Amino acid sequence: NIKADFYLMYLQDKPSCNPDDYVFTVPPQAQNFSYEQDLTEDHTPGVLTFESAGEIIPAGAHLHGWEGGKQINLYINDELYKEHTTSLVEGKKYTWESEKGPVSISINKGDVISIEAVYSNPHEQPVIGAMGMYGFFFAPNNAD
């Protein structure tokens, strides 16, 4: 048996404990608008520093493709590790899926991961309620 803890990272305009508020705004007529948390602030939900070494196992990204969401970028120690894109499911009019599933990402004690959401909004009005999330299980090494 592997002991693993679940983590949910998310991006938001303003701090809130309500999951309905895990959102941000995409400005009007924005192309490839990038949204990430301020990495210099402590306790932001889109940034995580690991207190022990281990491995990220199942993981998945979530964003709103129907609102112009293109991808969630995962950074490890400020370097782009993976782009999780979203796409319209073939044969479905309104169903979008992002990549998810088993992974194996080795983590060292002190590593910092962060996420960034990329959206486009061709409309005259802002997109209110855009989401950018990354959920994963982390199995710490027993040696720590």
Side-chain angles (χ1 to χ4, degrees), residues 21-137:
D21 293 338
Y22 295 173
V23 297
F24 58 93
T25 301
V26 179
Q29 299 184 327
Q31 290 301 311
N32 297 317
F33 172 76
S34 168
Y35 190 85
E36 61 187 339
Q37 303 289 184
D38 182 350
L39 302 182
T40 62
E41 292 190 23
D42 291 336
H43 308 294
T44 58
V47 182
L48 177 66
T49 302
F50 288 88
E51 296 179 9
S52 65
E55 184 179 4
I56 292 176
I57 40 180
H62 172 77
L63 68 163
H64 294 169
W66 62 92
E67 290 183 317
K70 294 182 168 204
Q71 67 195 48
I72 297 289
N73 295 326
L74 175 65
Y75 291 87
I76 300 178
N77 299 322
D78 292 328
E79 291 189 27
L80 180 62
Y81 181 83
K82 174 130 177 85
E83 296 174 349
H84 291 269
T85 59
T86 189
S87 59
L88 186 62
V89 174
E90 189 174 334
K92 303 280 185 171
K93 198 170 186 179
Y94 302 107
T95 304
W96 293 76
E97 285 189 352
S98 301
E99 298 174 58
K100 55 187 168 293
V103 296
S104 178
I105 304 172
S106 293
I107 297 294
N108 296 311
K109 182 177 181 175
D111 278 353
V112 177
I113 65 171
S114 59
I115 57 173
E116 166 190 49
V118 179
Y119 273 72
S120 287
N121 176 13
H123 306 290
E124 297 289 330
Q125 299 298 319
V127 171
I128 299 169
M131 282 191 155
M133 297 181 165
Y134 185 75
F136 62 93
F137 285 91

